[in-house]
Amino acid sequence: MTELVLYGHPDSGHANKVALALALAGVPHELRRVDIWAPAATRPAEFLAASPLAQVPLLMVDGVPHLQSGAILMEVARRWPLPGQQPHDLRRGAELILWEANRIGMCLPQLVESRRPGGDSFPPGALDWLRARYATDRDNFDRLLGAGPFFHGAAPGIGDCAIWGYVRWIDRAGVAPSPAMADWRTRMADLPAMPGDFFPA
Ligand SMILES: N[C@@H](CCC(=O)N[C@@H](CS)C(=O)NCC(=O)O)C(=O)O
């Protein structure tokens, strides 16, 4: 059987995206927590050897490192299809993953970080610019979701996993969801495969 080890942290939306996809796919895997708030040099040696940027997520597949959440999600869907996944969901998933990485995944993590006690500070105007981008992203979220209930239709796919990574923390980012976004977040939270938290201490 393929051995899967996912390195991540509960505060990493990127790592949570992958953890959710593996949970939905129902493929056995091990979760290993890496302290992303500690200096990189203190992280486990086997993790540092496989992740050149010392970042999570890192998915080891039979000892082979897989990096970058979007690329990992596509690999997961190719090898371990999520329930209800159709061939066209690979294309749909790639489109959604790239949209998320360029848009929501660019502004929401920064807004979350700006409100974290002791978090990074931002130059004047940067947060207003990020909030303005988010307003556009929220409208486009609704357009892409369409009639739903999920971005892939009747069942959630890797695109839902990617978008959920940071949209779940919209409150932490200090911005408001659209009504459709709020309903989708509830549907995602209610998925039977959704645990309380990935990567518990
Ligand atoms: N583009 C990467 C982003 C990965 C990333 O930024 N990981 C953060 C946590 S969300 C991390 O490991 N931070 C710790 C560090 O950079 O030292 C992806 O999609 O996987």
Side-chain angles (χ1 to χ4, degrees):
M1 193 173 69
T2 310
E3 189 195 39
L4 291 179
V5 181
L6 177 63
Y7 292 81
H9 187 279
D11 292 336
S12 166
H14 295 100
N16 282 307
K17 296 172 186 185
V18 178
L20 176 59
L22 291 173
L24 289 173
V27 56
H29 60 282
E30 184 192 332
L31 297 179
R32 281 193 204 159
R33 185 176 169 130
V34 172
D35 188 353
I36 57 170
W37 304 121
T42 65
R43 296 174 195 162
E46 90 273 9
F47 169 76
L48 292 175
S51 176
L53 304 183
Q55 289 189 328
V56 297
L58 161 68
L59 179 66
M60 298 298 288
V61 181
D62 282 337
V64 177
H66 290 64
L67 296 157
Q68 294 293 329
S69 57
I72 302 172
L73 286 172
M74 291 185 229
E75 183 76 13
V76 168
R78 255 195 312 272
R79 297 176 63 151
W80 303 283
L82 276 59
Q85 183 178 304
Q86 304 296 317
H88 67 257
D89 284 311
L90 292 179
R91 187 191 69 236
R92 172 78 173 155
E95 291 166 0
L96 291 165
I97 285 167
L98 289 173
W99 173 73
E100 193 276 344
N102 283 319
R103 298 296 313 195
I104 286 194
M106 206 283 281
C107 66
L108 286 185
Q110 307 304 331
L111 289 172
V112 170
E113 177 65 12
S114 73
R115 291 161 58 91
R116 185 174 67 84
D120 290 347
S121 57
F122 290 79
L127 296 179
D128 288 340
W129 178 70
L130 289 168
R131 285 188 206 102
R133 278 180 67 100
Y134 169 70
T136 304
D137 296 348
R138 180 174 49 196
D139 289 347
N140 287 337
F141 175 106
D142 290 4
R143 271 191 206 107
L144 289 169
L145 180 64
F150 296 102
F151 284 90
H152 287 256
I158 50 171
D160 293 274
C161 296
I163 294 164
W164 170 83
Y166 285 96
V167 168
R168 70 185 293 219
W169 287 330
I170 212 112
D171 318 314
R172 287 198 204 173
V175 290
S178 66
M181 196 184 262
D183 290 347
W184 172 84
R185 277 201 325 165
T186 303
R187 285 193 288 278
M188 292 297 286
D190 289 346
L191 291 173
M194 187 68 79
D197 242 331
F198 293 110
F199 309 103

